[in-house]
Amino acid sequence: MPDRSEMTPSAVAALQSRSRQALATRFRSGRPENRRREPPFILRCALLALLACGCIGSTSRAEAVPDTATSSWDLAKSDPHALVRAAIDNELKHSYGVRPPARYLLRKKTRNTDTTKEMVETKQGGVARLVALHNQPLNATQTETELLRLRALASDPAAQQHRLHNEQRDAARLTAVMRLLPDAYMNRYEGSAQTPNGIAIRVSFTPDPHFSPPTLESRILQGIRGEIWIDPSDLRVVRIEGHLFREVDYGWGILGTLYPGGAIRIEQSRTPDCGWQLAHLALNLNGKELMLKSLHINVDETASDYHPVPPEWKYTDAIAWLLGMPAIAPLKSDEP
């Protein structure tokens, strides 16, 4: 990969122009209200890969997989990297698209928005119904607008296929990034931590100085370090906290730069009906896009009220269920 300093001014200008065109195309393909709420796609790939699998290790060879909480603690002390590999392999076996589908409430807060949606997963993709704004139920007009949107979606197979295609494309790109991670991090046992689900094992992760990132996405991993907490009995990831400790360029600094001081946090919890599920996700990152444009990513998502979904449900079944939902009750007040 050439260094930016080795590129001619015309080459830099051409790359910048192509980058703008690619981003513009991506923005046009999405819903207008979502264009500035999400991180750039390259950044999302790397961040979600980190959040989804922390310090994932290779699963191509036999690894020591603990069977009990006691052996988990023993492995954490003797070979923390093997423990992380085992836990992450377990996560991948229960990831979205593999585990049984579920429905849940998702509250998402950004710098400018605060929405709550009922999310329904199916093998044909996920569907959402907006049920609250700024933690208040929709009024009659807002509710009718949302119902009209869902009815239009149910009668538009092309739109459904487009959304499914986007989910599958993103998943494939995410998998490609995940395959680069086995050599990206080093692990160290750090002790224990109390969580709502009991005592967890704390393992730190830091970039491996010998890792040479081959793609734009993987360059971001060089600037993130933190901790991953693992439930010793279920071998599930309880929490991942990552911090950007140095400036990182992706795309030779032309596509973007992330500044030090950013933070990433993800938490999972054991639910009564759906096993381990995402409970909290927070991103707080700052940088720039396309050399000059400021980039501010402030997202806080809380997922709750998980329930199983019939595995045979199709996309249209999820829409029908969302259309028949009862009126939402007043939501819980924000925490002080």
Side-chain angles (χ1 to χ4, degrees), residues 107 135-136 329-335:
R107 184 177 181 186
N135 211 36
Q136 297 299 318
L331 303 177
K332 294 181 181 179
S333 301
D334 290 333
E335 295 292 335

Side-chain angles (χ1 to χ4, degrees), residues 4 12 16 20 253-256 288-293:
R4 187 176 56 181
V12 171
Q16 183 177 357
R20 288 196 179 103
I254 297 174
L255 283 179
K288 62 183 178 182
E289 290 182 89
L290 300 175
M291 301 182 70
L292 299 174
K293 195 172 185 179

Side-chain angles (χ1 to χ4, degrees), residues 43-153:
L43 179 57
R44 293 209 312 274
C45 279
L47 294 180
L48 289 176
L50 177 71
L51 295 175
C53 52
C55 323
I56 182 174
S58 173
T59 57
S60 61
R61 61 184 187 278
E63 302 290 352
V65 180
D67 296 322
T68 66
T70 300
S71 58
S72 295
W73 287 102
D74 291 340
L75 188 59
K77 296 172 184 178
S78 63
D79 191 350
H81 198 64
L83 176 69
V84 171
R85 285 196 298 265
I88 296 310
D89 186 40
N90 200 26
E91 289 296 330
L92 293 177
K93 292 176 181 177
H94 296 87
S95 62
Y96 175 62
V98 179
R99 60 172 169 77
R103 61 178 175 87
Y104 56 95
L105 277 178
L106 180 67
R107 184 177 181 186
K108 177 178 179 179
K109 294 187 284 186
T110 69
R111 299 177 71 187
N112 302 314
T113 64
D114 182 349
T115 62
T116 302
K117 296 180 179 181
E118 181 75 32
M119 313 292 295
V120 182
E121 301 169 347
T122 76
K123 292 183 179 180
Q124 294 182 327
V127 192
R129 173 178 168 177
L130 181 68
V131 296
L133 291 171
H134 300 285
N135 211 36
Q136 297 299 318
L138 302 185
N139 59 35
T141 300
Q142 294 167 332
T143 298
E144 183 59 28
T145 299
E146 185 66 4
L147 294 179
L148 288 173
R149 182 190 67 83
L150 285 171
R151 293 187 187 106
L153 186 60

Side-chain angles (χ1 to χ4, degrees), residues 20-32 35 162 166:
R20 288 196 179 103
Q21 292 173 4
L23 289 172
T25 299
R26 176 170 58 83
F27 289 157
R28 285 197 298 270
S29 66
R31 293 177 61 187
R35 292 176 185 173
H162 176 72
N166 287 343

